[in-house]
Amino acid sequence: MAALRTAALLLLLALLTACTGEGDRRSDPVSGPSPTTAPPAPSTNPTDAAWVQLMIPMDEQALALLDLAAGKATTPGLRSWAAGLRTGQAGELAGLRGLRDRMGLPDTDLHKGHDMPGMVTAGDLDRARAARGASFDRLLVTQIHDHLRQSEQVSRSETSAGGSSEARSRARALVAARGEQLTALTELCAGRAADVPEPFACPSDHPV
């Protein structure tokens, strides 16, 4: 199931890239570039735009869930893990928004309402707000683990297919950060009797 969800998200990135590319081609005048339209930066390609516009809402939704953990996670270890991850994700999100602005992309959430692999949905947040005790803990750990894994996979695609050196560099940093974040979750799972509620299956297949 995890492999299918990852494949679906990578396919979505490819489709977004293709759609962006088609839009660019359709907007090119036959007789030459319009004197009033600024051309896109030559170092940026549609994959960069698709990646940035996907990663921003993924991080925004994950942050909304992590915010709830401060008051709802039931153990000190889980609260500490969530707080540290929240700090890292907030800094990452600020960097992605800055990159989006430098690329001249709109700040519209193209994925609002979409139920995509790795995305903490509005429904997930509603369930998290209503959940108590171990039910909240399970939802938190499961959803954030999925977010980390899927965003890592999509960012690996950007590192090889992106055209912007800045975007590729940021994607490489994100992949490295995900490795550290997943390792921290694995370490938390080592003491899961106290901090990670069953039946969450501690991750054992991520590349760290």
Side-chain angles (χ1 to χ4, degrees):
M1 177 64 78
L4 289 174
R5 286 170 66 82
T6 296
L9 192 54
L10 291 174
L11 176 60
L12 174 62
L13 183 63
L15 290 173
L16 288 172
T17 298
C19 290
T20 305
E22 286 295 324
D24 290 345
R25 285 192 292 273
R26 284 194 299 268
S27 65
D28 287 342
V30 174
S31 60
S34 168
T36 61
T37 302
S43 62
T44 300
N45 69 17
T47 298
D48 301 315
W51 175 71
V52 169
Q53 290 176 310
L54 178 60
M55 283 305 309
I56 287 175
M58 287 185 78
D59 277 5
E60 288 174 340
Q61 293 294 96
L63 277 171
L65 179 56
L66 290 167
D67 283 341
L68 295 174
K72 302 195 69 168
T74 62
T75 66
L78 199 54
R79 287 194 297 272
S80 177
W81 167 77
L85 183 58
R86 192 209 179 285
T87 298
Q89 296 266 288
E92 179 180 292
L93 179 58
L96 287 166
R97 286 170 172 165
L99 177 59
R100 176 197 62 196
D101 293 344
R102 288 189 292 279
M103 292 172 66
L105 299 172
D107 61 3
T108 304
D109 182 359
L110 302 179
H111 304 285
K112 187 173 183 178
H114 295 176
D115 184 2
M116 300 184 303
M119 181 77 77
V120 177
T121 66
D124 294 329
L125 291 173
D126 287 342
R127 286 187 290 275
R129 294 184 187 103
R132 298 290 184 273
S135 294
F136 173 81
D137 292 350
R138 280 192 293 272
L139 191 152
L140 170 70
V141 174
T142 301
Q143 294 297 329
I144 293 299
H145 173 247
D146 194 29
H147 161 70
L148 296 176
R149 285 298 312 276
Q150 301 296 342
S151 57
E152 178 190 45
Q153 292 298 321
V154 170
S155 296
R156 285 185 186 279
S157 179
E158 164 63 21
T159 64
S160 60
S164 162
S165 59
E166 182 182 0
R168 290 198 311 271
S169 176
R170 192 166 292 278
R172 285 192 295 270
L174 191 149
V175 169
R178 291 296 182 269
E180 295 172 358
Q181 291 157 357
L182 286 164
T183 295
L185 179 55
T186 300
E187 292 171 351
L188 185 67
C189 283
R192 66 173 179 258
D195 289 315
V196 180
E198 297 294 352
F200 175 72
C202 290
S204 61
D205 60 340
H206 56 79
V208 296

